[in-house]
Amino acid sequence: MRKLDTKTIVVASHNAGKIREIRDLIGPLGFEAKSAADLKFDEPDETGTTYEENARIKALASAMASGLPALSDDSGLAVDALDGAPGVYTANWAEREDGSRDFGMAIEKALDEKGATAAEQRTARFVSVLCLAWPDGHTETFRGEVEGHVVWPPRGNLGFGYDPVFQPVGYDITFGEMPAEQKHGWKPGEAAALSHRARAFKMFVETGLDV
């Protein structure tokens, strides 16, 4: 992996939850994180059909606008009974006509229409792809996944997005019921990371991040 020669990184996101989690992850490594929202960058159109493509679009936009390395995340929930949907279109599934968002309702409706009511019929995984981009156009990507199943009704008001409807394998609580330290509090030297974003970050560090 290309060496980072700066301790300042732009978090290429306008999503407050993602910004908070990425700052939690890179902070212990001594990095200062500025966000695309803080810098008032326009949000680029996410025209990709894969997590990797969309992560690159966002990271490159912030890297080129700032002149600094930028770290983006593109993530989604892939539900087996829905043939992997909503996947890269996860954010779109939450949108209502009035512009508000109802995380999980569209997924629950689709599962109900298929008669998928038992936990074993509602298996899913959260996917996160991190992309680190430099202003010269160089990019590197890191993918993390965590298995679980969709629950209904939503449980917990911690986390953000679809966290309250996702229960990871081996746990009896959702991401929405987990404190941040439990969900994504991985640090270098620790063997395991739980969340999809923390697993992608673990790969990011272990691939050769020179800190």
Side-chain angles (χ1 to χ4, degrees), residues 125-190:
R125 68 205 47 80
F126 257 135
V127 180
S128 170
V129 172
L130 297 178
C131 179
L132 182 63
W134 281 260
D136 66 359
H138 179 78
T139 64
E140 300 188 20
T141 59
F142 312 88
R143 185 182 183 106
E145 300 185 11
V146 58
E147 300 288 330
H149 68 271
V150 175
V151 303
W152 196 261
R155 304 201 313 260
N157 56 11
L158 303 177
F160 65 100
Y162 291 86
D163 285 353
V165 299
F166 183 81
Q167 182 173 313
V169 170
Y171 294 80
D172 58 7
I173 60 175
T174 68
F175 273 172
E177 296 172 292
M178 288 184 183
E181 183 63 26
Q182 182 178 10
K183 179 191 171 192
H184 63 263
W186 180 84
K187 295 178 178 61
E190 294 179 349

Side-chain angles (χ1 to χ4, degrees), residues 78-86 114:
V79 183
D80 293 319
L82 303 180
D83 299 320
K114 287 183 173 288

